Amino acid sequence: MSSSDSLFERAKRLIPGGVNSPVRAFRSVGGAPFFVKAARGATLVTADDRELIDFVCTWGPAIHGHNHPRIRAAIGAALENGTSFGTPNPLEVEMAELITRFVPSIQKVRMCNSGTEATMSTIRLARGFTKRDKIIKFAGCYHGHSDSLLIKAGSGALTHGHPDSAGVPASFARETIVLPYNDRAAVEAALTANPGQVAGVILEPYCGNVGFIMPDPGYLAFLRAITAKHGVVLIFDEVMTGFRIARGGVQEREAIVPDLTCLGKIIGGGLPVGAFGGRAEIMDLLAPLGPVYQAGTLSGNPLAMAAGIAGLRLLEEENPYQRLDFLGRQLREAVLGACRAKGLPVQVPQCGSMFSIFFTDAPVRDYATALRGDAKLFGRFFHACLAEGVYLAPSAYEAGFLSTAHDGVALTRACEVLSGAIAAL
Ligand code: KE4
């Protein structure tokens, strides 16, 4: 039995499903997950001493590749001073200054420990600010696992066939209106049908949890205008896209100014971090200033701040976005070319270092069209790539990620593997 197999057997005895996050379980692609003991650059080293070229990048944070020396050094230096103080610390201020400089719509920001905490807190803020209860989200968008948002959710919830989680009271679910993404009429109808009742609209401005889906031209501007008109808080969940699609996230690339923004992943440099921020008049409702409570023992943790600051400074120095888009286009062209040669219908939406592969002939623009992709074929493709040392997200409903460390041999090899796997399907 391989080391991963024996670790998985032990894990399953004590950890539900043997994993600490469902999407890691390979349930939708079949087979058992491998365990990783080390990671560096574009490579994972498994417990079985296999080296894999990684396109999951720990679900987004590793935009500089794994274990970047600058991030490692920053954590080491911070560690000399201790791990957690439970008081304000200088690094939190530096992080707040960086985030507000990179994302000008964020006038004030609060650190927390995960993307889930960030999105959950913005929902509470929107409700506190507007004194309204209803929230609009979009089918397939995943905003973490807080009750109000685990309705028609993407990512692992969709992957495992439970987009509406058990355990969420009907009274909670009633306050969440779920609409199709990219459907303007649906938003107009929902706001007309619920006058003065909708506190906020939350969305992934580019979806990364139902595969990678971009908005129709003008859709984000439409949402900005209609939410302003109805006094509804517009929340961009940029936990995945923040600092990845552009230094200022999707809102920079699309020149849209949301009221609140959720962040995570990259800003932690691989350590547990979330953040949310936006208009000061909304953020100042937060305790200790105002009546909306939110808190966290390890929020602004010095090690996580040091790692995140090092990663953001590296982005500022390298400005890798054009380079990452060039790498993403290479991968896209390799998959499109191989599928064309095979006569296999495929969509490969890609922007910068985010992409996904849908085996379907119809363009994918929302939850319904994403589900038309051949998930079984994706599972076979996933394992064919894994067998050759390339690790894609273990689900047809996730985004793939590139890092600056993929530039060169890793991407060349990966494109060969992806093309070969398609030819052999
Ligand atoms: P976390 O609570 O997992 O830190 O963040 C939740 C979250 C919020 N918003 C967006 C847009 C997200 O993508 C996420 C988390 N992303 C998934 C990957 N699809 C995390 C992977 C996992 O659940 O293990």
Side-chain angles (χ1 to χ4, degrees):
M1 184 183 282
S2 78
S3 306
S4 284
D5 290 344
S6 59
L7 282 164
F8 195 41
E9 287 314 307
R10 285 169 50 198
K12 282 191 289 189
R13 287 198 288 272
L14 300 172
I15 304 168
V19 291
N20 282 311
S21 197
V23 76
R24 304 175 189 171
F26 279 30
R27 298 293 287 265
S28 77
V29 292
F34 52 83
F35 282 59
V36 170
K37 66 180 181 184
R40 56 179 177 274
T43 303
L44 299 175
V45 183
T46 73
D48 319 296
D49 288 324
R50 283 194 70 202
E51 292 205 357
L52 303 173
I53 301 171
D54 174 28
F55 286 96
V56 179
C57 295
T58 180
W59 303 99
I63 193 168
H64 302 294
H66 291 288
N67 207 7
H68 191 285
R70 285 272 293 275
I71 293 176
R72 194 168 64 246
I75 296 171
L79 191 54
E80 289 303 310
N81 299 320
T83 55
S84 177
F85 313 137
T87 67
N89 71 73
L91 294 171
E92 288 169 304
V93 182
E94 191 176 343
M95 173 63 88
E97 288 168 344
L98 278 172
I99 287 175
T100 52
R101 180 152 58 84
F102 282 6
V103 190
S105 72
I106 298 180
Q107 297 169 334
K108 288 204 174 173
V109 63
R110 171 66 60 88
M111 303 310 296
C112 54
N113 301 280
S114 69
T116 294
E117 279 188 57
T119 59
M120 175 178 72
S121 306
T122 57
I123 297 301
R124 189 177 310 133
L125 258 178
R127 287 170 165 158
F129 179 67
T130 61
K131 297 183 176 46
R132 302 173 183 177
D133 292 341
K134 292 195 183 300
I135 290 291
I136 289 175
K137 79 172 286 288
F138 298 92
C141 284
Y142 177 73
H143 304 292
H145 60 90
S146 65
D147 284 348
S148 292
L149 293 169
L150 262 187
I151 321 278
K152 267 276 185 291
S155 185
L158 173 57
T159 296
H160 297 103
H162 304 296
D164 307 315
S165 173
V168 177
S171 58
F172 275 46
R174 267 198 295 277
E175 300 302 343
T176 302
I177 301 165
V178 183
L179 302 177
Y181 185 77
N182 271 328
D183 181 336
R184 299 186 190 202
V187 175
E188 285 163 343
L191 290 171
T192 304
N194 298 277
Q197 299 173 56
V198 178
V201 168
I202 186 169
L203 74 153
E204 295 176 63
Y206 289 3
C207 301
N209 288 289
V210 58
F212 183 60
I213 298 178
M214 293 179 71
D216 291 344
Y219 178 67
L220 297 179
F222 158 77
L223 287 177
R224 176 61 288 178
I226 198 166
T227 49
K229 180 180 161 200
H230 288 263
V232 173
V233 176
L234 179 62
I235 305 168
F236 273 14
D237 177 354
E238 296 224 48
V239 166
M240 193 182 263
T241 55
F243 306 101
R244 177 164 282 280
I245 287 296
R247 211 181 69 170
V250 168
Q251 56 193 272
E252 175 189 284
R253 187 169 191 273
E254 298 280 350
I256 301 281
V257 181
D259 299 306
L260 295 177
T261 298
C262 309
L263 298 170
K265 296 184 191 275
I266 286 173
I267 63 169
L271 296 192
V273 174
F276 59 101
R279 285 165 49 195
E281 68 174 318
I282 303 177
M283 292 299 289
D284 283 347
L285 284 175
L286 278 175
L289 288 183
V292 179
Y293 197 71
Q294 182 277 338
T297 304
L298 295 173
S299 297
N301 172 271
L303 299 189
M305 293 297 98
I309 288 165
L312 295 187
R313 291 215 182 284
L314 210 45
L315 286 173
E316 191 168 31
E317 288 165 25
E318 294 185 349
N319 191 17
Y321 298 101
Q322 280 193 331
R323 182 174 155 216
L324 288 168
D325 188 56
F326 177 70
L327 301 179
R329 287 169 186 276
Q330 280 184 49
L331 183 140
R332 181 174 189 274
E333 287 312 312
V335 173
L336 288 174
C339 287
R340 202 176 301 120
K342 179 93 178 163
L344 187 63
V346 72
Q347 307 291 322
V348 187
Q350 170 266 336
C351 179
S353 57
M354 289 182 72
F355 68 94
S356 62
I357 297 167
F358 293 101
F359 291 116
T360 176
D361 56 359
V364 178
R365 53 190 301 280
D366 58 17
Y367 179 86
T369 46
L371 288 184
R372 288 199 197 121
D374 185 336
K376 282 201 182 326
L377 184 60
F378 180 86
R380 286 174 38 214
F381 173 61
F382 167 84
H383 281 291
C385 294
L386 187 60
E388 294 299 318
V390 171
Y391 175 50
L392 297 170
S395 162
Y397 309 116
E398 291 288 354
F401 301 96
L402 287 142
S403 75
T404 51
H406 283 81
D407 197 353
V409 174
L411 188 66
T412 305
R413 170 66 186 147
C415 287
E416 286 166 7
V417 168
L418 293 172
S419 304
I422 287 165
L425 284 177

